[in-house]
Amino acid sequence: MIKRQYAGVVIDQIHPSLDKLFHYTVPENLSDQIQIGVRVQVPFGHRSVQGYVLTLDDETDVPLERIKPIKKLLDPGPALHSSATSLIFWMKKEYHCMFIEAIRCFIPPGLRMNMKKKKQLVVVLEDTDCVDEWIKKVESRSPGMAAILKILEQNESMLRDELLDLSGASQSSIQSLLKRGYIRIEEEDTYRNPWPIAQIPTKSPEFNEEQAAASKVIENCIREGKGTVLLRGVTGSGKTEVYMRAAELALAKGREVIVLVPEISLTPQTVGRFKGRFGNRVAILHSRLSLGERYDEWRRIRSNEVQIVVGARSAVFAPLERLGLIIMDEAHEDSYKSEVRPRYHARDIAAKRCSLDGAVLVLGSATPSLEDYYKAIQGEYLLIEMKNRVGCQTLPQVEIVDMRLELEMGNRSMFSNALYQALKHCITQKEQAILLINRRGYAHFVSCRSCGHVVKCRNCDVSLTFHVREDALKCHYCGYREGYPRICPECKSKYIKHFGAGTQRVEEELHQLFPTVRLLRMDTDTTGRKGAHHKILDAFERQEYDILLGTQMVAKGLDFPNVTLVGVLAADSALNLPDYRSSEKTFQLLTQVAGRAGRSSKPGRVVIQTYQPGHYAVRHASNHDYSGFFQRELQIRQQFSYPPFSHIIRVLITGEEEKEIVNFSKNMIQWLEKRVADNRLLQEGLIDLGAYPAPIERIKNRYRWQLLIRIRTDEKYLQAFHHLAEDLNKEFYRDTLSAALDFKPLSLI
Ligand code: ADP
Ligand code: ZN
Ligand code: ZN
């Protein structure tokens, strides 16, 4: 066999000119250890830099006199797990990112920074045969030394601090024993523990019919080592138990598991349940861990000490070698999408990874994204539905309150009479309530408080965005604009304005209505510090508070048996975001938050306040009617050629000089138009193309424009536009401007 002698190395620095494989020779003394995926030190110019070996080749284009040897191997084994390299090549094509950007997804920063491992001292007995004799020698003079030896006789080795504790001896006893050569001290790696809360072990319950059926389907997939399952189960239908059973099945087959949750801090209960069921076999990965914690959890995974990884988005890159199952809880959540390069969606990485590793993907949600559900009914995914809550609980009764009528009746408060009465009842019964203020879209749209009319674009089915600077309303899909209306174009009322209500204002009003109520607020202001979520939710669970008031954060995954009332203020505020997904997001949010009520024997009640009681997203959510909503929304998407009936490609351009980015955007459009005109495939595939200021025109002093390219869904068109995008990246790279290319943007804001 010919020895492959040229290592293709990616340099660990982010710069377009370095975005390729550089060949190095493998020195004789390293030839057994250099494999694909190892981290190495290589000479580069006059410096020495870190890099990763992605290929081993027999031939090279580099002239032999210029090629240099690898200097050093940095870790004992490959830093990248075996299927990572294929994923990295795939990500580069799919996301138009640099090699190194893809590689860094897999590597904890602590490794690259050569972070120190945490060490502790272990005392080891030198010779077990002599220990009785030694004890006799020291017993009379030093009880401490004798005590240490007696403990070591039982245990052979022990952490130094524990040993001192147990024996009651002093440090000097250890020194004397060392001098005599009876013991030695070794350093041992320890891991920082990111989840210090002790978890009570639990056992799997007896499954009901729906759970058993779901479990069966997943079990078959695991046996075959392939398949994507969409598990749509109403809130409280026992999905988490199904996930845990699936994990057990995979473990029993010797395979490993990744469990993805939208955001660890928002779903401590789910994480806790996995820890409770699987204990030390679970590692936790997410971005709020300290660098040290993250590095240590990664090392535990890499060295096969754990079999289950629970984590947020980035955990999909966990370095497991025998992956058999990926579970994605609340798979519809937007936090699975990365908004920094590489702009991946964890579901797409998971799907690719499962197909490489022979693993099964389970997507779970009470409200699957339209895209996922569409794939399921098209037969691309296996669909399992769990329509009933566990036990005999029913889904809560939902009441819609028309806030226009409240205003007519002279109620100018943020609380309708119905919600006020419900809160009062709840408090006197010593039960708890959750109040959601939907602040997404705050002050972006303009609506009439008398008739509910929302000002929309005349060309597109999206609401117009209010731009304070120009005192104008604009459509960011087609560029249409009009002046700020002084009266409602529908009913001539003058109560037309952009609006929203912050959590603080609601808090003040609640205190006026119920002076003695114990009120807990959860929003970005109160949850800044690490662990803050946990504290808030724990206090609420211990029933130290009557009402939990918050933004989106309170809608997700919480399971509190004493919560019998859920109230939603301004249900429609997200309906009017300039986004084709705004109805879907609203439906999901309302369904999720309604699911927080009535999760035990006490029945639940939900009050939704809205200015648009007739909107289909609100109506279907109040009837717990997912498929009704799905049918209606799908029709609208088809009518307006929105995803899944088209792909939207977005290029976000930002820079400090407004004029510069406007010109840049215009040049880019011209370049694109010309390329499309020259190519039949691109021409056929294109639906429309345009450059507009982004709805939020400036963030952190950078001006923002975006190019939106809408194309047909056939694979051949998609590939053609991927090729085009590659050229666009090269043509338009600038140091001062940033052009972010996104083939599946979730947000167009
Ligand atoms: P979901 O994830 O769909 O919201 P969970 O798995 O959290 O549902 O289940 C809701 C509640 O019912 C939890 O408290 C869970 O422990 C309990 N539960 C789930 N399955 C069963 C079962 N088969 N028997 C008894 N209790 C169950
Ligand atoms: Zn009106
Ligand atoms: Zn428009």
Side-chain angles (χ1 to χ4, degrees):
M1 200 183 82
I2 312 165
K3 200 111 205 220
R4 292 205 260 168
Q5 44 189 338
Y6 303 106
V9 174
V10 173
I11 304 298
D12 190 13
Q13 272 169 33
I14 295 189
H15 196 276
S17 66
L18 299 180
D19 185 31
K20 52 181 158 235
L21 294 159
F22 293 92
H23 268 158
Y24 288 87
T25 52
V26 180
E28 196 64 40
N29 62 328
L30 291 178
S31 62
D32 291 340
Q33 297 157 63
I34 296 291
Q35 321 167 32
I36 288 177
V38 294
R39 195 166 60 109
V40 291
Q41 193 81 25
V42 290
F44 195 77
H46 300 296
R47 294 168 305 147
S48 167
V49 296
Q50 277 186 31
Y52 297 87
V53 175
L54 289 197
T55 61
L56 287 171
D57 304 309
D58 300 331
E59 291 173 9
T60 182
D61 296 338
V62 186
L64 286 183
E65 67 277 11
R66 287 190 46 203
I67 201 159
K68 294 177 188 161
I70 289 174
K71 260 183 148 166
K72 189 161 100 184
L73 184 67
L74 289 173
D75 312 292
L80 296 165
H81 70 267
S82 14
S83 74
T85 331
S86 311
L87 262 176
I88 288 162
F89 280 102
W90 178 81
M91 284 171 72
K92 180 161 174 50
K93 278 206 204 121
E94 189 73 10
Y95 302 112
H96 302 277
C97 63
M98 298 179 204
F99 278 121
I100 192 61
E101 290 172 315
I103 290 172
R104 284 189 184 177
C105 291
F106 294 84
I107 304 287
L111 181 71
R112 289 171 36 227
M113 291 157 45
N114 294 323
M115 178 170 248
K116 284 232 163 49
K117 294 173 184 168
K118 205 172 158 188
K119 305 275 190 193
Q120 52 189 4
L121 301 176
V122 182
V123 181
V124 188
L125 191 62
E126 284 286 6
D127 190 342
T128 38
D129 293 338
C130 305
V131 67
D132 283 334
E133 188 190 320
W134 293 341
I135 291 173
K136 277 192 203 119
K137 276 192 188 166
V138 297
E139 213 159 20
S140 54
R141 274 181 297 122
S142 163
M145 281 162 72
I148 289 173
L149 288 174
K150 280 177 188 160
I151 292 168
L152 287 177
E153 190 176 17
Q154 304 296 318
N155 296 285
E156 240 165 280
S157 77
M158 187 175 262
L159 290 180
R160 188 193 58 181
D161 295 347
E162 264 177 42
L163 185 61
L164 290 175
D165 251 11
L166 260 173
S167 63
S170 66
Q171 180 66 30
S172 63
S173 303
I174 292 207
Q175 290 305 331
S176 313
L177 288 169
L178 267 174
K179 249 184 243 149
R180 287 168 183 251
Y182 294 173
I183 58 169
R184 64 173 186 277
I185 289 192
E186 289 176 357
E187 280 195 332
E188 193 175 81
D189 283 4
T190 65
Y191 299 118
R192 303 158 182 93
N193 182 0
W195 195 266
I197 307 146
Q199 216 72 46
I200 302 147
T202 61
K203 277 218 280 294
S204 181
E206 182 111 14
F207 271 7
N208 64 28
E209 257 173 53
E210 286 187 325
Q211 284 174 315
S215 205
K216 191 97 210 135
V217 174
I218 298 171
E219 187 176 0
N220 284 340
C221 290
I222 291 175
R223 191 175 316 116
E224 288 178 20
K226 60 172 200 262
T228 300
V229 174
L230 179 63
L231 174 59
R232 186 178 85 78
V234 298
T235 52
S237 58
K239 292 187 291 299
T240 311
E241 289 295 343
V242 172
Y243 303 153
M244 291 196 285
R245 179 73 58 88
E248 275 163 18
L249 291 168
L251 293 185
K253 290 235 169 335
R255 304 294 290 268
E256 296 152 339
V257 183
I258 295 175
V259 182
L260 299 172
V261 292
E263 232 186 287
I264 293 270
S265 51
L266 298 184
T267 47
Q269 290 181 325
T270 310
V271 182
R273 283 167 74 181
F274 271 90
K275 273 278 188 187
R277 188 72 46 92
F278 299 101
N280 284 337
R281 309 180 77 177
V282 178
I284 292 173
L285 280 184
H286 63 92
S287 57
R288 281 208 185 194
L289 297 184
S290 70
L291 287 183
E293 287 168 340
R294 210 180 334 167
Y295 178 40
D296 284 357
E297 288 295 77
W298 184 86
R299 287 195 295 134
R300 284 200 325 135
I301 302 164
R302 195 74 191 104
S303 56
N304 300 320
E305 288 171 51
V306 299
Q307 290 78 42
I308 301 183
V309 178
V310 182
R313 179 173 79 216
S314 61
V316 75
F317 299 107
L320 294 164
E321 289 288 355
R322 289 183 307 275
L323 183 70
L325 174 68
I326 299 182
I327 292 162
M328 206 167 160
D329 188 26
E330 310 284 2
H332 64 279
E333 284 286 338
D334 281 0
S335 59
Y336 283 123
K337 171 76 198 270
S338 164
E339 291 300 345
V340 295
R341 294 168 59 104
R343 290 165 197 271
Y344 66 89
H345 194 295
R347 178 204 42 223
D348 300 338
I349 303 278
K352 183 68 191 175
R353 191 163 174 191
C354 283
S355 77
L356 288 170
D357 293 4
V360 177
L361 176 59
V362 175
L363 306 170
S365 172
T367 52
S369 74
L370 204 81
E371 190 185 349
D372 281 336
Y373 200 73
Y374 185 63
K375 280 192 179 151
I377 57 170
Q378 300 279 93
E380 252 180 81
Y381 299 161
L382 289 167
L383 180 63
I384 312 174
E385 309 208 61
M386 304 208 305
K387 298 186 170 158
N388 302 295
R389 281 189 160 180
V390 171
C392 42
Q393 306 155 33
T394 49
L395 286 165
Q397 198 71 37
V398 181
E399 195 177 327
I400 299 178
V401 178
D402 185 344
M403 290 304 278
R404 297 169 306 180
L405 295 178
E406 296 286 317
L407 190 71
E408 252 174 47
M409 292 184 303
N411 179 6
R412 284 169 183 274
S413 142
M414 276 180 265
F415 292 88
S416 62
N417 188 44
L419 184 52
Y420 172 74
Q421 296 297 344
L423 277 169
K424 202 161 127 184
H425 180 78
C426 179
I427 295 164
T428 46
Q429 295 294 308
K430 303 230 175 313
E431 293 167 357
Q432 290 172 293
I434 291 179
L435 283 183
L436 169 78
I437 304 168
N438 194 353
R439 241 197 344 187
R440 239 179 126 233
Y442 173 73
H444 278 310
F445 70 102
V446 174
S447 89
C448 171
R449 288 191 75 176
S450 303
C451 76
H453 175 72
V454 172
V455 183
K456 285 194 169 181
C457 176
R458 59 176 60 173
N459 306 320
C460 316
D461 191 37
V462 292
S463 50
L464 293 177
T465 305
F466 175 46
H467 289 253
V468 189
R469 263 196 326 151
E470 295 152 76
D471 197 28
L473 307 183
K474 287 197 214 164
C475 172
H476 78 280
Y477 282 85
C478 73
Y480 170 79
R481 64 178 284 162
E482 63 183 46
Y484 192 98
R486 298 301 151 204
I487 55 166
C488 171
E490 282 297 304
C491 75
K492 311 289 179 234
S493 153
K494 61 183 195 311
Y495 290 110
I496 183 159
K497 58 173 192 176
H498 59 277
F499 70 105
T503 37
Q504 288 183 15
R505 258 188 66 203
V506 178
E507 190 178 13
E508 282 162 26
E509 201 173 318
L510 266 175
H511 270 308
Q512 279 163 16
L513 293 173
F514 305 103
T516 59
V517 79
R518 298 169 303 166
L519 193 59
L520 191 59
R521 203 177 94 209
M522 181 154 118
D523 55 24
T524 44
D525 298 336
T526 61
T527 53
R529 266 167 299 112
K530 193 175 165 176
H533 285 103
H534 223 109
K535 285 209 184 87
I536 290 178
L537 296 175
D538 276 353
F540 191 63
E541 181 158 31
R542 287 194 303 268
Q543 304 188 21
E544 290 166 16
Y545 295 89
D546 306 307
I547 300 179
L548 175 65
L549 166 70
T551 49
Q552 275 63 8
M553 295 176 191
V554 301
K556 288 159 198 168
L558 306 179
D559 188 0
F560 300 121
N562 197 40
V563 171
T564 55
L565 174 66
V566 165
V568 182
L569 300 144
D572 34 25
S573 65
L575 272 178
N576 305 298
L577 277 175
D579 185 342
Y580 70 89
R581 287 166 72 243
S582 61
S583 297
E584 183 181 359
K585 297 271 62 155
T586 299
F587 174 81
Q588 287 167 341
L589 183 65
L590 294 179
T591 308
Q592 293 287 340
V593 74
R596 302 306 122 222
R599 290 178 72 96
S600 66
S601 52
K602 299 170 192 164
R605 184 175 170 196
V606 180
V607 179
I608 294 178
Q609 300 189 162
T610 173
Y611 288 92
Q612 297 176 70
H615 194 287
Y616 64 96
V618 178
R619 272 205 345 267
H620 287 305
S622 70
N623 294 328
H624 308 290
D625 181 11
Y626 178 85
S627 57
F629 172 78
F630 174 80
Q631 297 300 344
R632 177 74 187 267
E633 179 69 11
L634 200 68
Q635 239 173 28
I636 293 173
R637 298 283 180 91
Q638 187 154 30
Q639 189 183 343
F640 288 94
S641 287
Y642 286 136
F645 300 98
S646 68
H647 284 296
I648 294 180
I649 305 166
R650 178 211 216 195
V651 188
L652 179 70
I653 299 149
T654 66
E656 284 175 11
E657 294 293 328
E658 191 170 21
K659 226 194 230 140
E660 199 186 355
I661 68 161
V662 173
N663 284 335
F664 188 71
S665 308
K666 287 185 176 153
N667 289 341
M668 201 184 268
I669 279 280
Q670 273 169 13
W671 183 89
L672 278 170
E673 277 168 349
K674 187 163 175 309
R675 285 291 299 265
V676 170
D678 291 346
N679 180 306
R680 198 180 49 82
L681 208 54
L682 294 174
Q683 224 170 66
E684 276 175 16
L686 184 72
I687 300 172
D688 51 23
L689 163 72
Y692 321 96
I696 303 175
E697 287 187 39
R698 195 164 60 148
I699 292 180
K700 289 184 182 155
N701 282 324
R702 287 179 80 85
Y703 289 90
R704 310 166 81 237
W705 268 58
Q706 59 185 359
L707 259 67
L708 295 176
I709 307 167
R710 202 148 49 141
I711 68 169
R712 294 180 211 291
T713 53
D714 311 48
E715 189 58 28
K716 59 179 179 184
Y717 299 137
L718 190 62
Q719 287 317 320
F721 277 87
H722 267 302
H723 282 301
L724 180 65
E726 236 165 74
D727 293 348
L728 179 124
N729 254 350
K730 286 190 199 116
E731 185 81 20
F732 288 92
Y733 178 79
R734 303 279 187 287
D735 275 328
T736 52
L737 297 174
S738 123
L741 187 69
D742 196 335
F743 265 73
K744 279 188 192 167
L746 278 189
S747 158
L748 300 178
I749 295 197

